[in-house]
Amino acid sequence: MKKELQDKILQRFPYLFSNIYYDTPLGQRGIECMDGWFDLIYELCSKVNNILISNPISGFKVVQIKEKFGRLRFYTNNDIREIKELIREYSDKSETICEVCGKPAKITKRIR
Ligand SMILES: [Zn+2]
């Protein structure tokens, strides 16, 4: 993802990204998907952030955000049910949004 978009996400949600994350794939490689998912990821982070505001979890961090097989993968260092459900919801949603342009889309099979 373009650095300026990525920074908007990383700087906006302190509960998700204020911990040192340089030892993680996110810290090393940034958000590993294209710009079309900016809104999707921003919205997911905002909801996770809201959960953490009402139920602070010390040391919570996002470890990796990437695309795999046309689907958003969003990994954290915690297994909180409410957050896991949100992540699943947004990963499902990612299959209906073009990773490049953000318009409605569906996963197509590659011809080998
Ligand atoms: Zn597109």
Side-chain angles (χ1 to χ4, degrees):
M1 182 175 284
K2 211 184 290 162
K3 189 181 181 305
E4 61 199 86
L5 288 179
Q6 197 167 273
D7 284 349
K8 276 188 195 168
I9 293 174
L10 299 183
Q11 289 162 11
R12 177 66 185 79
F13 303 109
Y15 287 99
L16 278 72
F17 304 113
S18 65
N19 289 299
I20 295 174
Y21 54 79
Y22 300 102
D23 58 340
T24 64
L26 178 64
Q28 288 160 7
R29 298 192 289 274
I31 299 177
E32 301 168 86
C33 71
M34 287 182 260
D35 300 346
W37 283 356
F38 173 80
D39 287 342
L40 180 81
I41 294 170
Y42 191 96
E43 206 177 297
L44 171 58
C45 288
S46 163
K47 290 190 176 177
V48 172
N49 196 58
N50 288 342
I51 291 173
L52 294 172
I53 287 171
S54 37
N55 307 287
I57 296 153
S58 113
F60 182 92
K61 62 182 171 187
V62 180
V63 172
Q64 186 169 30
I65 304 174
K66 68 172 182 180
E67 173 277 333
K68 194 175 178 187
F69 303 130
R71 197 175 156 88
L72 173 70
R73 309 291 165 111
F74 191 105
Y75 300 108
T76 75
N77 67 340
N78 266 274
D79 257 355
I80 297 119
R81 191 180 54 83
E82 208 181 346
I83 293 177
K84 276 182 79 173
E85 281 169 9
L86 263 180
I87 292 171
R88 184 173 313 123
E89 182 192 324
Y90 276 79
S91 298
D92 287 348
K93 217 170 161 179
S94 72
E95 295 189 350
T96 67
I97 297 169
C98 175
E99 192 196 347
V100 178
C101 69
K103 289 184 180 152
K106 62 182 176 196
I107 290 178
T108 52
K109 287 195 181 105
R110 226 175 241 132
I111 299 163
R112 289 169 203 276

